[in-house]
Amino acid sequence: MTETTAVTLRPLGQSSLSVSPLGLGCWQFSRGSGIVGRYWSNLKDADILDIVRVSLEGGMNWVDTAEIYGGGKSEEALAHALDQLQQDGSLHAKPLIATKWWPMLRTAKSISSTIDERLTCLGGRSIDLYQIHQPFSLSSIASEMKAMAGLVKDGKIRYAGVSNYSAQQMVEAHRILQQYGLTLVSNQVKYNLLHRKIDENGTMEAAKELGISIIAYSPLQQGILTGRFHKDPSQIRAVSRMRRMQSGLDEKSLARSKPLIDLLSVLAEKYGVTPGQIALNWLIHVHGDTVVAIPGASKVRHAEENIGAMSFQLVRDELEQLNEASWAALK
């Protein structure tokens, strides 16, 4: 039986949850289903099991999924993999679980009325962190936080978080939860070396001030920070036009980010790791314990690379070099 790799845990917000700096993002387990899930192909059960096993045995102790990921398919696939690990007698079958409620065209009442469906999809496992996936719904933040507080009181969830909230929305959610004796634990947002809007719009500053964790999704900017598109531009042809526009895969953007990729490569050679692992390591250390990230993995080698990013730590000078190169790439 494989022993867990030693990884230093950190607090998630002002909660009692202690998490590894990287958790497993599970969007890719959507079975290719639904509007959001179609982004990914339908992974086989055996592949999902291997990805989950390698991630958890490698030191990750939490997973992040969502209702909208295939309309519960991701949650079910994750639960099935964890069931198998449990049957195999694995010591890693009980990670902390984060999932999300989808708010579009719904009211806060749906938070309470659909929670049992979430629990069922997760195989009866408890939800450690329940998040509002987007700030856009038919109800106010106050109504949604009241519903979330009710779920905590009823023992349906342990803690409440949000996703894609602005600084102002995040602060409001935190303030309202405090009225119920709770705190907002986290805000899940896009954040990486090539996407740093939260550093400019006050979200990062407010999170630090209030003790709210930032959960970074898309930590490798759709693969650009691995350096593979700079190394072999022909790979860009296989990427959809929409993804190219969203991710900065055009010629001008790639030229601008090349010095950053070159620096990632230099540091990767020094540490005997990959450029992507350097990018992830920067993300989870540059702001102390404030930022944790949820890289996905559609292949076992992706999972192995993710956990390897927690096996070393860049020194402060290197973090600052990357910081400067990052801002230069974004000008």
Side-chain angles (χ1 to χ4, degrees):
M1 192 175 292
T2 307
E3 293 184 4
T4 305
T5 303
V7 170
T8 302
L9 304 181
R10 58 180 64 174
L12 191 67
Q14 297 179 61
S15 75
S16 65
L17 304 177
S18 293
V19 298
S20 49
L22 296 178
L24 177 63
C26 299
W27 180 13
Q28 69 279 11
F29 298 162
S30 300
R31 304 292 195 184
S33 178
I35 297 173
V36 170
R38 283 181 205 152
Y39 188 91
W40 300 94
S41 58
N42 188 356
L43 297 179
K44 296 177 181 176
D45 284 352
D47 293 332
I48 293 173
L49 176 60
D50 286 342
I51 289 166
V52 172
R53 177 187 283 117
V54 168
S55 298
L56 299 183
E57 289 180 352
M60 289 184 178
N61 76 333
W62 62 294
V63 293
D64 180 271
T65 182
E67 175 186 14
I68 196 66
Y69 298 164
K73 300 285 188 196
S74 170
E75 294 168 323
E76 290 172 347
L78 174 63
H80 181 70
L82 294 176
D83 285 343
Q84 188 61 56
L85 286 182
Q86 208 157 358
Q87 288 174 24
D88 294 344
S90 173
L91 299 173
H92 317 287
K94 295 182 178 180
L96 298 172
I97 293 177
T99 191
K100 312 177 199 76
W101 169 74
W102 186 248
M104 297 288 278
L105 300 177
R106 284 165 137 181
T107 67
K109 288 181 180 179
S110 169
I111 294 173
S112 303
S113 66
T114 60
I115 190 63
D116 286 341
E117 184 182 330
R118 305 274 60 71
L119 293 167
T120 298
C121 286
L122 288 165
R125 291 171 175 82
S126 61
I127 295 172
D128 298 287
L129 177 67
Y130 200 38
Q131 304 153 94
I132 306 290
H133 206 144
Q134 296 276 358
F136 312 111
S137 79
L138 299 177
S139 290
S140 65
I141 290 175
S143 297
E144 290 175 353
M145 291 306 115
K146 180 181 179 182
M148 294 290 266
L151 294 184
V152 174
K153 182 182 177 183
D154 292 342
K156 296 284 190 177
I157 66 173
R158 290 180 67 188
Y159 295 101
V162 295
S163 181
N164 298 300
Y165 271 42
S166 67
Q168 183 179 356
Q169 291 165 334
M170 179 181 73
V171 170
E172 183 183 354
H174 179 73
R175 180 184 63 79
I176 294 163
L177 282 173
Q178 285 183 309
Q179 296 173 5
Y180 299 96
L182 305 172
T183 60
L184 184 71
V185 169
S186 59
N187 187 7
Q188 185 175 141
V189 294
K190 185 175 182 180
Y191 187 59
N192 60 59
L193 278 162
L194 287 173
H195 189 97
R196 303 189 60 180
K197 290 181 180 177
I198 65 169
D199 284 325
E200 299 177 294
N201 62 20
T203 303
M204 181 68 76
E205 183 182 359
K208 288 181 177 180
E209 186 179 322
L210 297 173
I212 297 169
S213 286
I214 293 294
I215 300 177
Y217 68 78
S218 193
L220 294 175
Q221 187 66 7
Q222 302 292 319
I224 293 177
L225 290 167
T226 66
R228 67 188 183 96
F229 295 111
H230 290 78
K231 190 175 182 179
D232 181 11
S234 67
Q235 291 190 34
I236 297 172
R237 289 198 295 269
V239 178
S240 69
R241 184 179 178 186
M242 180 174 289
R243 184 177 161 194
R244 288 200 300 268
M245 291 170 61
Q246 290 176 336
S247 303
L249 276 170
D250 58 281
E251 194 174 326
K252 187 176 178 181
S253 296
L254 286 175
R256 197 162 54 236
S257 60
K258 188 177 185 303
L260 171 60
I261 302 301
D262 290 344
L263 178 56
L264 288 171
S265 299
V266 168
L267 290 171
E269 189 171 346
K270 174 184 174 181
Y271 283 90
V273 297
T274 66
Q277 287 173 314
I278 295 292
L280 289 174
N281 197 271
W282 174 87
L283 193 62
I284 59 178
H285 291 301
V286 72
H287 293 289
D289 285 350
T290 297
V291 179
V292 293
I294 47 169
S298 55
K299 295 181 174 65
V300 168
R301 63 179 173 83
H302 298 156
E304 292 170 340
E305 191 164 341
N306 291 341
I307 60 179
M310 297 188 288
S311 66
F312 65 100
Q313 184 168 344
L314 295 166
V315 299
R316 178 48 57 181
D317 283 353
E318 292 164 342
L319 293 171
E320 288 306 321
Q321 287 174 37
L322 286 166
N323 206 38
E324 291 173 15
S326 166
W327 286 119
L330 292 168
K331 285 182 179 176

